[in-house]
Amino acid sequence: MDLPVEEWKSYILEKWALLPKSVQVTISKAETLSDIFLHSSSLLQPEDEMFLKRLSRGYLVGKDPNAPLFYREEGNKKFQEKDYTGATVLYSKGVSHSRPNTEDTSLCYANRSAALFHLGQYETCLEDIVRAQMHGYPERLQPKMMLRKAECLVLLGRLQEASQTISDLESSFAAKPTLAASQFQILQRTLCRLKMKIQKKENLTETVSAALTKAFEDMDLREENKQISSASASVSLCTDPFKGRYLIATKDILPGELLVKEDAFVSVLNPAEVLPLHLGLESKWDTRVTNGDLYCHRCLKRSLAPVPCDGCSYAKYCSQECMQQAWDLYHNIECSLGALLLTLGVFCHVALRSTLLARFEDAGEVTRKLCGDISNKDTRLPESKNLVQTLSYDLGGESEKNGKTVETPIPGCDINGKYENNYYAVCNLLPHTENHSAEYKFLCALSISALCRQLEAASPQALMTGLTSSKLKAAMAPVLCPESSIWGVAMLRHMLQLQCNAQAITAIQQTGSKENIITDSRQVRLATGIFPVVSLLNHSCSPNTSMSFVSTVATVRASQHIGKGQEILHCYGPHESRMGVAERQQKLRSQYFFDCTCPACQHGKHRTTAEPRWEAFCCCSCRALIQGDEVLSCGNASCTESVSRDHLVSRLQDLQQQVGIARKLLRNGKLERAIQQLLGCQHDAESFLSAEHSVVGEIEDDLAQAYAALGDWQKSAAHLQKSLRVVEVRHGPSSVEMGHELFKLAQIFFNGV
């Protein structure tokens, strides 16, 4: 949810509609962000803040003392069903609601360690055992957990530690024989079994070399650009008054070459799945698994055993270190504002976090940026007046430095002409103030105003928490205390920037049953971030790069040969393989404020209006494509067949229903019946759909999955290769979708060897 919740948006738009025309005109014609913010914030009334607070109360982000028991019991149910992943998530939810150093916390950690053990996560299991002990795990339950610890150590090959743990347990039994006879016998048998395991492992002559590392390591840039941080030396930065800033190749670039590897300046986990209490939840405690339960809220690393914030139940981290870093950088301010930030949306949250991170840059620079650049009479950053400027080791334009004349930097670059991943570069991203509607600017300004008032209520001193330098605190004091509106203007600028400059951070998640031999996957949006260097890339509906993410790091690679002097292009979303020309143009115009003139759009305008092959129908007599509006006629000159579109659409809907039945059989393990159903669908599809129709590809993909489950790898591969042809036509040979299908084919070949 990028923007505020619908109730707040509707409320603000109604407020806008009721404003006197003169006030609307004043805000609409305001030339600076300062004027927009000050005029709008003066209209925020106490009743508006009360309404926003009522909306925020719907989000449960505090620690509820009754929740840990509920989540522990729900987790136990999943554990008994052998759904250990589901159990782990529920125990984690219990941990997030528990206060530190309580029995609730220790029990949730201990139970989670048991689920992690069954998932084979032995190192993480040991970490949770330590956490359970730190938070006061009851002594009466210690033996069972210590046996689990010993077994983990054995399985990890840490035999000396395992022997010591067993020895400590035996000493504990001898000193405090408080267990019942039956329990003692079970524990004794388990200890004997573990001792035998240790002896067997000690007798093994072969050992696994500690020198073995993971097969695929993240690649670094071969040679980092001296003028653009996080970029390859193969690219250079240019600007002109029409295209703005952009990157070009300084040499011929081969497919697959790494061009940019950039960590986000700021990122916020996407909370799209978090629902307020009044929206369809059976109880106030949500048992659904969301991305917020699976990924670190700072680094976005996937974690089944997160460490929660001590002050709220929402923020969770992959480690104690990540939690402490987040607290020091921004969460000490955000913690008490969690419900409000969920109500105001991700863009507002990113705007706040960006401004908070500015506190940790050079004090003089931050003061100048916030007080100078942003509170200046004209907050719009000046555009370059040169037709074309290219960054190289020799800079063109002029400014004075140490008595020498040097080039005027491109916007966002420092005095030495270097463009870096920092707050100054973020400030230089365009907010497109003149393109946004007056209503949108009013919504953003009032949302930021409400957030600023909450920050003021929390005391300006809170904003300086974590700043270790007394010099930095002194420099920031005049910014934070008497001029809190400066923070509001800064956040408004960032919120307006995000419509055109926000980057969705994605991850590949496995889908389907965990029992499937062949796994499927999908791309999901994890977070929203700002990447100053990635933001330099211009759009093409048929780009020459591809982007992927590892945690908060974006990597941009060449997806095809790029010649020297050619522009490096990225797709902002509307890709030629997923949308028609008209739809792409409408999307780009409404979100990014430009008309695309890339080759794909230019060529598309001159194409016929024939349907794309992945949506096309074919003649039932000769299999040629048929075209038309209400009545479709065969494209083969020697064939006179024609059919109504309504009839074909009805047949397609019936076919999709039959495919749905087959998938249900497949999910329930009724493989033979599913195959028969799918083969019938395949035969029906061939009679009226083009060979590259997306439904034909889906049927072939389902057949491949069914045959793989039966172990018939040859048939599975044959059907998947047919599906691949459809995917290539639909999405292109270099697409993410093609990569997913090729990965599945590789799994089939691997299993069929």
Side-chain angles (χ1 to χ4, degrees):
M1 184 178 63
D2 293 332
L3 297 177
V5 295
E6 287 300 324
E7 295 93 331
W8 179 246
K9 283 195 289 186
S10 299
Y11 180 88
I12 295 303
L13 293 178
E14 183 179 348
K15 184 180 180 74
W16 170 264
L18 295 173
L19 289 176
K21 191 70 175 176
S22 59
V23 177
Q24 290 184 352
V25 170
T26 299
I27 295 173
S28 300
K29 293 187 175 181
E31 294 186 356
T32 68
L33 291 174
S34 290
D35 290 341
I36 294 170
F37 180 75
L38 293 174
H39 285 307
S40 300
S41 61
S42 67
L43 299 171
L44 185 68
Q45 301 300 314
E47 57 267 26
D48 303 330
E49 294 181 76
M50 289 302 299
F51 179 75
L52 184 58
K53 284 182 180 178
R54 284 199 299 272
L55 292 177
S56 301
R57 289 192 195 109
Y59 292 97
L60 183 62
V61 295
K63 292 188 181 291
D64 188 332
N66 298 314
L69 177 60
F70 168 81
Y71 283 121
R72 199 165 70 247
E73 290 176 345
E74 292 297 311
N76 291 343
K77 292 175 187 176
K78 293 286 185 182
F79 190 93
Q80 290 164 5
E81 296 167 2
K82 300 189 186 310
D83 179 2
Y84 300 117
T85 300
T88 300
V89 171
L90 289 167
Y91 292 141
S92 296
K93 287 178 181 284
V95 170
S96 68
H97 277 279
S98 303
R99 291 290 177 186
N101 303 314
T102 62
E103 187 170 300
D104 276 335
T105 307
S106 67
L107 291 172
C108 286
Y109 275 129
N111 286 15
R112 193 171 76 179
S113 74
L116 290 166
F117 178 83
H118 284 281
L119 289 170
Q121 303 285 322
Y122 304 124
E123 289 283 6
T124 314
C125 174
L126 289 173
E127 290 173 6
D128 265 5
I129 288 171
V130 172
R131 290 169 183 145
Q133 292 174 321
M134 284 174 54
H135 288 278
Y137 191 64
E139 188 175 348
R140 68 184 186 280
L141 302 174
Q142 287 280 352
K144 188 176 181 180
M145 192 169 71
M146 296 311 292
L147 280 173
R148 188 181 307 133
K149 176 181 178 180
E151 193 148 8
C152 280
L153 292 168
V154 170
L155 291 167
L156 290 169
R158 293 157 59 177
L159 305 183
Q160 188 173 353
E161 293 175 72
S163 297
Q164 185 60 52
T165 302
I166 291 171
S167 176
D168 292 344
L169 265 173
E170 289 176 326
S171 299
S172 177
F173 292 159
K176 297 180 180 179
T178 56
L179 292 174
S182 59
Q183 290 178 304
F184 184 75
Q185 289 174 358
I186 293 171
L187 289 173
Q188 285 286 8
R189 286 198 296 270
T190 306
L191 283 173
C192 290
R193 178 172 56 82
L194 285 175
K195 285 180 179 178
M196 290 177 65
K197 276 189 178 182
I198 291 173
Q199 190 174 4
K200 286 180 181 178
K201 282 185 174 281
E202 285 174 338
N203 291 335
L204 287 175
T205 56
E206 294 182 7
T207 60
V208 179
S209 172
L212 285 176
T213 58
K214 58 183 180 180
F216 300 101
E217 286 190 285
D218 292 335
M219 292 180 64
D220 289 323
L221 296 164
R222 290 182 182 178
E223 183 182 354
E224 191 160 346
N225 197 305
K226 294 182 179 180
Q227 300 297 331
I228 314 167
S229 71
S230 309
S232 160
S234 303
V235 303
S236 182
L237 176 59
C238 305
T239 185
D240 72 43
F242 304 105
K243 295 169 66 172
R245 297 170 299 180
Y246 61 98
L247 298 180
I248 63 168
T250 57
K251 65 179 185 101
D252 287 347
I253 294 172
L254 297 175
E257 185 173 335
L258 184 59
L259 304 179
V260 176
K261 185 175 183 181
E262 182 182 24
D263 199 355
F265 173 79
V266 63
S267 63
V268 171
L269 191 74
N270 179 26
E273 296 160 307
V274 177
L275 295 175
L277 296 178
H278 64 277
L279 289 182
L281 299 180
E282 294 179 3
S283 75
K284 65 177 181 177
W285 299 308
D286 191 358
T287 57
R288 297 169 308 143
V289 179
T290 69
N291 286 337
D293 299 312
L294 299 175
Y295 294 89
C296 176
H297 286 223
R298 193 194 76 84
C299 72
L300 303 182
K301 178 182 176 182
R302 187 178 174 89
S303 174
L304 273 177
V307 179
C309 169
D310 289 340
C312 69
S313 63
Y314 177 66
K316 306 177 185 74
Y317 305 95
C318 64
S319 64
Q320 190 73 27
E321 292 74 23
C322 247
M323 181 183 75
Q324 190 60 52
Q325 286 178 33
W327 181 264
D328 292 342
L329 290 171
Y330 48 78
H331 193 64
N332 56 347
I333 306 299
E334 296 177 359
C335 186
S336 62
L337 302 173
L340 178 63
L341 292 170
L342 287 172
T343 307
L344 292 177
V346 171
F347 280 5
C348 202
H349 197 163
V350 172
L352 170 64
R353 190 170 290 181
S354 299
T355 315
L356 291 173
L357 289 172
R359 300 177 300 164
F360 296 89
E361 294 195 8
D362 178 73
E365 283 294 298
V366 172
T367 304
R368 182 180 63 79
K369 291 164 194 170
L370 290 179
C371 297
D373 292 349
I374 294 173
S375 64
N376 197 301
K377 178 61 181 172
D378 185 2
T379 57
R380 295 167 298 181
L381 293 165
E383 296 289 340
S384 170
K385 302 302 180 186
N386 298 334
L387 287 176
V388 177
Q389 289 182 338
T390 303
L391 272 182
S392 60
Y393 299 124
D394 298 316
L395 301 170
E398 295 185 349
S399 65
E400 197 73 21
K401 183 189 177 186
N402 298 329
K404 296 180 180 180
T405 299
V406 296
E407 293 246 350
T408 302
I410 291 174
C413 298
D414 62 21
I415 192 65
N416 297 311
K418 184 164 186 179
Y419 187 91
E420 298 191 79
N421 179 323
N422 59 19
Y423 186 65
Y424 185 60
V426 171
C427 281
N428 274 271
L429 298 175
L430 294 178
H432 294 280
T433 312
E434 69 283 1
N435 296 117
H436 293 293
S437 69
E439 292 89 344
Y440 182 76
K441 288 183 281 193
F442 186 65
L443 169 66
C444 293
L446 252 65
S447 298
I448 293 294
S449 296
L451 179 56
C452 282
R453 293 193 186 179
Q454 288 295 310
L455 289 169
E456 288 171 1
S459 159
Q461 283 297 337
L463 293 173
M464 290 188 285
T465 302
L467 301 184
T468 55
S469 165
S470 57
K471 181 180 177 182
L472 183 55
K473 287 183 179 180
M476 291 299 294
V479 178
L480 299 177
C481 300
E483 298 293 341
S484 59
S485 63
I486 293 174
W487 281 75
V489 178
M491 286 190 279
L492 177 59
R493 179 181 185 84
H494 298 321
M495 194 167 181
L496 294 177
Q497 288 171 333
L498 286 165
Q499 180 166 315
C500 295
N501 293 287
Q503 175 64 54
I505 299 173
T506 61
I508 302 300
Q509 287 185 349
Q510 302 301 318
T511 60
S513 170
K514 60 180 179 289
E515 285 82 18
N516 286 345
I517 297 172
I518 306 304
T519 60
D520 205 347
S521 58
R522 64 188 178 107
Q523 191 175 42
V524 297
R525 177 182 171 185
L526 282 187
T528 298
I530 296 179
F531 296 82
V533 176
V534 170
S535 292
L536 297 172
L537 298 173
N538 278 335
H539 167 81
S540 171
C541 298
S542 181
N544 51 21
T545 62
S546 63
M547 186 181 298
S548 60
F549 298 89
V550 177
S551 298
T552 57
V553 177
T555 57
V556 179
R557 295 180 182 275
S559 59
Q560 56 188 257
H561 177 269
I562 304 174
K564 181 179 179 180
Q566 189 177 344
E567 186 173 358
I568 313 296
L569 297 165
H570 165 53
C571 179
Y572 290 179
H575 196 285
E576 67 166 340
S577 68
R578 298 179 183 87
M579 296 181 188
V581 177
E583 188 181 359
R584 297 201 306 269
Q585 291 286 358
Q586 189 278 329
K587 172 75 172 173
L588 292 166
R589 195 176 297 118
S590 62
Q591 182 172 349
Y592 297 99
F593 311 120
F594 70 87
D595 292 316
C596 185
T597 57
C598 73
C601 287
Q602 292 299 311
H603 296 158
K605 289 176 182 177
H606 303 297
R607 290 177 186 163
T608 64
T609 56
E611 292 173 307
R613 284 180 289 169
W614 57 86
E615 295 177 0
F617 298 104
C618 72
C619 176
C620 61
S621 298
C622 67
R623 298 287 298 152
L625 296 181
I626 55 177
Q627 300 173 10
D629 296 323
E630 298 302 320
V631 176
L632 286 77
S633 301
C634 183
N636 186 348
S638 62
C639 182
T640 59
E641 288 287 336
S642 63
V643 63
S644 74
R645 181 176 293 276
D646 288 344
H647 175 70
L648 292 171
V649 170
S650 178
R651 284 192 67 182
L652 178 59
Q653 290 172 344
D654 291 341
L655 176 62
Q656 289 171 322
Q657 287 182 352
Q658 294 303 310
V659 172
I661 292 171
R663 286 174 177 164
K664 187 173 181 180
L665 291 169
L666 196 57
R667 285 194 300 270
N668 293 334
K670 299 175 181 179
L671 303 176
E672 297 289 354
R673 288 177 59 190
I675 288 172
Q676 291 304 312
Q677 178 78 9
L678 287 167
L679 289 173
C681 293
Q682 182 192 56
H683 180 74
D684 187 23
E686 288 173 352
S687 67
F688 75 104
L689 298 180
S690 74
E692 293 90 6
H693 198 286
S694 58
V695 173
V696 172
E698 291 168 10
I699 292 170
E700 297 295 344
D701 193 79
D702 292 336
L703 279 166
Q705 183 181 338
Y707 281 116
L710 288 174
D712 192 334
W713 306 111
Q714 188 173 355
K715 286 185 178 179
S716 179
H719 285 290
L720 192 58
Q721 284 170 327
K722 292 180 182 178
S723 172
L724 269 168
R725 287 195 287 272
V726 177
V727 172
E728 183 172 2
V729 168
R730 176 71 177 87
H731 298 289
S734 302
S735 63
V736 172
E737 291 83 358
M738 192 68 175
H740 294 172
E741 294 300 302
L742 287 170
F743 180 68
K744 286 195 287 187
L745 186 62
Q747 291 178 85
I748 290 172
F749 286 145
F750 179 81
N751 283 285
V753 172

